[in-house]
Amino acid sequence: MKEVILCKYGEIVLKGNNRNQFESLLLKELKRRASDLGRFDIRYMQSTVYIEPADDEAEMNFDEMYARCGKVFGLVGVCRAVACEKTLDAILETAKAYLPEKLDGVKTFRCEAKRSDKRFPLGSPELAAEVGGAVLSVMPHLKVDLKNPEVTVRIEVRDQAAYIHAGQDAGAGGMPVGSAGRGLLLLSGGIDSPVAGWMMMKRGMTIDALHFESFPYTSEAARDKVFQLAEEIAEYGGRIRVHVISLTHIQEVLRDTCEEDYFTLLLRRFMMRLAGMCAKENHCEVLVTGESLGQVASQTLKAMCVTEAASELPIFRPCIGMDKDEIIRISRRIGTFETSILPYEDCCTVFTPRHPRTQPELDKVEAQEALVDVDALVAEAWETRYRHNVG
Ligand code: ATP
Ligand code: MG
């Protein structure tokens, strides 16, 4: 019996005339992920992507492909199914042969049928009942539970064939990567910024990442941790270019020249300027950060306004309204949490003020800034940039 993977669309189904642009991006992404796993035939029809072995001899890693499908944005569900001819006999025989292994260890089930081919002679409830009977004939210990079954067996009579499967896994949701422009993610080694990047990728954004280091105050291990985090979110959206810029000299000059209470804010404004340049060079249209309102001194409303005033580009902050524990929950789910909590320093924690300003006034910040040569410092830091690709 030949198994196939059925991938169910999410929000793409709401699209009108431009729907096939989204479908092509989705298909392209699935093909890219399949490329090192063997020869698959991948195509879409009726709001579903079908992934099957290209031919009977094709060597492939089907399990890995299935796992990867669960991380592709644009899909709300994935399932392994078996295809058969669209006759009642074929459906019942296939169900009896295919389902025992899938229902091993299960006590309760129900069947649901759906016909997109309405020419099929049996109605959906009748078909479901027939398959239920066939399942019970080979696994009499099972019980039917219509309300709260352990497994729902589904029979889908589609245009080309009938498909039978025993349960669907949740997909990653969102929109296909590449459908919503390119943004520059300011990626620290913390918990929030990888989540912020993932959230924007989920909505279809292609991400470049920018990390600021402050060697020797920050270590190589801290930077490698950031590359690792980028690698982890790249699993959802393909290659990520990680740009790295050194802030060491800027931080030393700020420390030696400006009022301590303003260090973090001044530094963050330098980050925005450099991020703007990096975005421009790499065709990114917005900046993305992991900021969350009120989380730390530099994330009060006033502090964020002062920071944003130094940015020419819009700043997207997808975590802005989330509590830390909500961000952590996503971080665990997407697999970045364990890396994020590795104990390395970040440039923001170097020379941290003892009493950071939480209600800063822009003119006071600008007055502090006037004590240093902003343009020269930016130009010099810009020259330290280098790039590391992941994914
Ligand atoms: P995170 O958990 O993402 O590090 P945080 O709660 O520690 O966030 P901050 O350190 O104030 O908060 O940083 C706020 C945001 O600024 C981060 O989410 C990130 O987008 C950006 N940022 C902070 N430090 C760096 C850095 N070293 N390189 C690049 N971006 C940074
Ligand atoms: Mg941080």
Side-chain angles (χ1 to χ4, degrees), residues 185-194 210-213 264 268 271-272 288-291 295-296 298-299 324 346-348:
L185 169 67
L186 275 69
L187 183 60
S188 68
I191 294 170
D192 310 329
S193 47
L210 169 60
H211 176 65
F212 293 105
E213 61 180 9
T264 312
R268 293 194 65 74
M271 286 183 173
M272 296 306 131
V288 178
T289 74
E291 290 161 300
Q295 196 189 78
V296 289
S298 60
Q299 294 172 27
K324 193 76 187 185
D346 180 66
C347 69
C348 285

Side-chain angles (χ1 to χ4, degrees), residues 313-326:
L313 291 180
I315 303 175
F316 283 16
R317 301 177 173 91
C319 301
I320 195 70
M322 292 165 72
D323 293 349
K324 193 76 187 185
D325 66 310
E326 292 174 290

Side-chain angles (χ1 to χ4, degrees), residues 11 154 176 276 283 377 382:
E11 253 178 74
R154 288 200 171 79
H283 312 288
L377 286 171
W382 180 240

Side-chain angles (χ1 to χ4, degrees), residues 61-333:
N61 191 338
F62 198 78
D63 291 341
E64 174 62 18
M65 187 60 202
Y66 187 71
R68 288 187 190 179
C69 288
K71 290 186 169 179
V72 173
F73 292 128
L75 300 173
V76 286
V78 288
C79 63
R80 306 170 76 123
V82 67
C84 68
E85 234 181 278
K86 292 194 290 182
T87 64
L88 182 60
D89 280 352
I91 291 173
L92 297 181
E93 286 314 308
T94 307
K96 284 196 274 189
Y98 178 68
L99 291 171
E101 192 194 321
K102 298 285 163 190
L103 299 179
D104 190 30
V106 168
K107 293 196 182 70
T108 59
F109 80 110
R110 79 173 159 207
C111 285
E112 269 180 25
K114 208 167 93 183
R115 303 167 311 148
S116 50
D117 177 1
K118 303 286 183 204
R119 291 167 308 176
F120 191 77
L122 237 56
S124 298
E126 291 80 18
L127 177 58
E130 288 279 352
V131 174
V135 170
L136 289 171
S137 75
V138 286
M139 288 173 283
H141 60 281
L142 285 182
K143 293 252 170 325
V144 173
D145 181 346
L146 296 178
K147 279 218 178 95
N148 196 16
E150 279 173 65
V151 173
T152 300
V153 169
R154 288 200 171 79
I155 307 99
E156 304 184 23
V157 182
R158 293 173 162 259
D159 285 355
Q160 285 210 317
Y163 295 86
I164 301 171
H165 56 90
Q168 176 167 309
D169 289 307
M175 298 297 288
V177 161
S179 63
R182 185 179 283 276
L184 182 65
L185 169 67
L186 275 69
L187 183 60
S188 68
I191 294 170
D192 310 329
S193 47
V195 169
W198 178 85
M199 287 172 75
M200 294 324 300
M201 286 158 78
K202 179 164 181 278
R203 293 307 302 165
M205 191 181 274
T206 304
I207 290 290
D208 266 40
L210 169 60
H211 176 65
F212 293 105
E213 61 180 9
S214 193
F215 195 72
Y217 305 106
T218 61
S219 62
E220 276 183 28
R223 187 206 51 205
D224 290 345
K225 168 185 166 179
V226 171
F227 292 164
Q228 171 70 27
L229 286 169
E231 191 99 46
E232 285 164 2
I233 56 171
E235 279 183 35
Y236 293 86
R239 292 176 78 72
I240 295 182
R241 297 180 293 195
V242 187
H243 311 276
V244 182
I245 294 179
S246 169
L247 291 179
T248 309
H249 188 228
I250 292 178
Q251 290 194 271
E252 288 171 343
V253 170
L254 292 177
R255 176 197 59 191
D256 296 342
T257 320
C258 302
E259 227 179 273
E260 178 186 316
D261 298 1
Y262 290 98
F263 281 176
T264 312
L265 277 172
L266 294 168
L267 184 66
R268 293 194 65 74
R269 285 167 58 87
F270 274 100
M271 286 183 173
M272 296 306 131
R273 295 184 184 104
L274 288 159
M277 292 162 80
C278 184
K280 194 166 169 204
E281 188 174 69
N282 294 285
H283 312 288
C284 298
E285 294 163 282
V286 297
L287 306 182
V288 178
T289 74
E291 290 161 300
S292 154
L293 184 61
Q295 196 189 78
V296 289
S298 60
Q299 294 172 27
T300 61
L301 203 66
K302 280 226 162 60
M304 281 192 285
C305 289
V306 163
T307 304
E308 182 143 349
S311 174
E312 282 181 12
L313 291 180
I315 303 175
F316 283 16
R317 301 177 173 91
C319 301
I320 195 70
M322 292 165 72
D323 293 349
K324 193 76 187 185
D325 66 310
E326 292 174 290
I327 302 174
I328 289 175
R329 220 176 302 140
I330 297 182
S331 156
R332 285 188 194 279
R333 182 154 60 82

